[in-house]
């Protein structure tokens, strides 16, 4: 049964029983509503909200955004509870998630290349003392860092890879601290203000590279993966149900530098202002996203 047909049936039954629904979708969802999953990461928030506004301005569809953990999104797309997610970091970061659902989803294409994961330090941390993850094993470095590496939400692919890095580099005396992406940047802001040493799990594109002078630590063992591409993953049947939107998502490509600049603007103003500025400045590009190739 088609996702929305099922929801229509479920909504009828719910109204009869006086029930309401949460989680993915609602009993009131209609065929003109497309549902995207997203996670509150800086790049994912910008590209997902930009897609929502562009789709709603150029088509007759509404877009609902459902905030959830990354692993839940992959499963939601695979079983048809979500129409798509615009944040599949491949091949390494979300490799394990993708392997589980690859036969049940369609990859609509890459939005941007050259994304990178790693462990990041402020540039005032002397590079001759801390250039590589290997250097974290030095007792004096561990003392300066208070034996802590500041992470993000525990379900993130970056955190799974960071756990592997902890083992590979024998950093058992360190704590990998789980928190939200916002908590990670808040910890970085506090350290920057005090010129304190800190290591955070980071990635590009991210607005923090526009705000502070930062660098990635070398990863000689390659535990955090190579350069990544970020793709759109859709449920089976989505292209048939929404061909116009599927064409847009397949053509939806952003320059990494432009994206990072827009994300920084969003932090300085708001996502709404940054998205509107991007739309105002990239009209021809956006029109091209809807053209059949």
């Amino acid at each position: 049964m088609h996702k929305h047909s099922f929801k229509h049936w479920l909504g009828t039954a719910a109204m009869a029983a006086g029930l309401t629904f949460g989680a993915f979708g609602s009993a009131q969802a209609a065929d003109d509503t497309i549902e995207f999953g997203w996670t509150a990461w800086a790049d994912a928030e910008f590209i997902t909200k930009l897609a929502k506004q562009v789709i709603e301005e150029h088509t007759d569809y509404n877009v609902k955004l459902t905030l959830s953990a990354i692993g839940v999104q992959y499963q939601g797309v695979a079983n048809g509870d979500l129409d798509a997610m615009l944040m599949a970091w491949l091949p390494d970061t979300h490799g394990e998630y993708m392997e589980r659902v690859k036969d049940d989803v369609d990859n609509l294409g890459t939005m941007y290349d050259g994304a990178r994961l790693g462990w990041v330090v402020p540039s005032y941390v002397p590079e001759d003392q801390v250039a590589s993850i290997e250097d974290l094993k030095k007792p004096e470095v561990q003392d300066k860092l208070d034996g802590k590496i500041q992470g993000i939400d525990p379900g993130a692919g970056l955190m799974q890879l960071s756990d592997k890095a902890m083992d590979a580099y024998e950093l058992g005396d360190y704590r990998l601290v789980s928190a939200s992406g916002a908590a990670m940047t808040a910890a970085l802001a506090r350290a920057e203000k005090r010129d304190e040493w800190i290591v955070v799990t980071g990635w590009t594109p991210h607005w923090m590279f526009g705000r502070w002078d930062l660098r990635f630590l070398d990863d000689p063992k390659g535990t955090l993966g190579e350069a990544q591409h970020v793709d759109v993953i859709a449920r089976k049947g989505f292209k048939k149900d929404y061909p116009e939107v599927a064409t847009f998502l397949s053509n939806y490509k952003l320059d990494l530098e432009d994206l990072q600049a827009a994300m920084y603007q969003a932090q300085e103003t708001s996502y709404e202002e940054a998205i509107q500025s991007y739309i105002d400045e990239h009209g021809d590009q956006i029109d091209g996203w809807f053209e059949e190739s």
Side-chain angles (χ1 to χ4, degrees):
M1 181 180 291
H2 184 280
K3 178 184 102 167
H4 295 302
S5 298
F6 175 76
K7 285 184 176 180
H8 176 75
W9 173 86
L10 191 59
T12 303
M15 285 187 287
L19 301 175
T20 58
F21 291 84
F24 290 130
S26 70
Q28 291 75 38
D31 285 337
D32 63 352
T33 298
I34 296 170
E35 189 169 356
F36 293 158
W38 72 290
T39 296
W41 302 339
D43 56 331
E45 184 164 3
F46 184 85
I47 61 175
T48 305
K49 289 183 175 179
L50 173 61
K52 169 183 167 66
Q53 185 163 331
V54 169
I55 290 169
E56 291 181 341
E57 289 180 355
H58 285 74
T59 75
D60 294 328
Y61 298 112
N62 298 310
V63 177
K64 176 181 179 182
L65 304 184
T66 297
L67 184 66
S68 60
I70 189 66
V72 177
Q73 287 181 59
Y74 274 93
Q75 191 57 50
V77 174
N79 63 27
D81 287 331
L82 289 171
D83 286 302
M85 54 180 285
L86 282 64
M87 50 188 302
W89 280 60
L90 301 170
D92 302 309
T93 313
H94 294 166
E96 292 184 10
Y97 291 127
M98 191 63 182
E99 182 64 26
R100 295 176 199 149
V101 304
K102 62 182 181 181
D103 295 330
D104 300 313
V105 302
D106 287 329
N107 189 325
L108 299 186
T110 295
M111 293 176 292
Y112 50 93
D113 294 294
R116 180 182 177 184
L117 300 173
W119 289 2
V120 175
V121 297
S123 291
Y124 59 72
V125 175
E127 193 166 3
D128 60 355
Q129 297 181 49
V130 187
S132 162
I133 296 176
E134 288 276 13
D135 292 328
L136 301 183
K137 290 190 286 189
K138 299 175 182 177
E140 64 273 22
V141 172
Q142 181 178 344
D143 184 61
K144 291 279 283 185
L145 292 169
D146 195 26
K148 182 173 69 173
I149 296 161
Q150 179 63 57
I152 55 173
D153 46 292
L158 174 53
M159 290 295 278
Q160 295 176 354
L161 294 174
S162 292
D163 279 328
K164 294 179 180 179
M166 298 281 284
D167 293 336
Y169 289 98
E170 300 178 348
L171 298 176
D173 291 334
Y174 277 83
R175 292 174 293 124
L176 178 61
V177 180
S178 298
S180 66
M184 178 273 288
T185 52
L188 180 57
R190 288 193 298 272
E192 284 273 351
K193 188 174 182 179
R194 302 166 184 167
D195 284 337
E196 295 175 345
W197 287 26
I198 189 172
V199 176
V200 302
T201 60
W203 64 94
T204 55
H206 196 292
W207 59 264
M208 66 186 185
F209 286 91
R211 180 170 179 181
W212 298 297
D213 189 7
L214 307 169
R215 71 173 185 274
F216 283 98
L217 296 180
D218 291 338
D219 176 20
K221 297 181 184 293
T223 55
L224 298 171
E226 303 300 326
Q228 305 291 289
H229 49 89
V230 181
D231 296 1
V232 179
I233 304 298
R235 63 170 174 81
K236 290 290 186 181
F238 179 80
K239 289 188 285 188
K240 179 181 178 182
D241 295 333
Y242 303 105
E244 182 182 12
V245 178
T247 294
F248 159 73
L249 292 174
S250 294
N251 293 332
Y252 187 36
K253 303 185 186 305
L254 294 85
D255 177 81
L256 198 64
E257 293 298 323
D258 288 348
L259 173 58
Q260 197 152 269
M263 291 160 55
Y264 183 49
Q265 181 186 352
Q267 289 298 313
E268 294 296 292
T269 57
S270 69
Y271 278 93
E272 291 75 20
E273 287 189 42
I275 286 168
Q276 190 59 55
S277 292
Y278 191 94
I279 290 172
D280 292 342
E281 295 168 8
H282 295 82
D284 290 342
Q285 178 191 41
I286 292 169
D287 289 342
W289 287 338
F290 288 91
E291 295 176 357
E292 294 280 357
S293 57

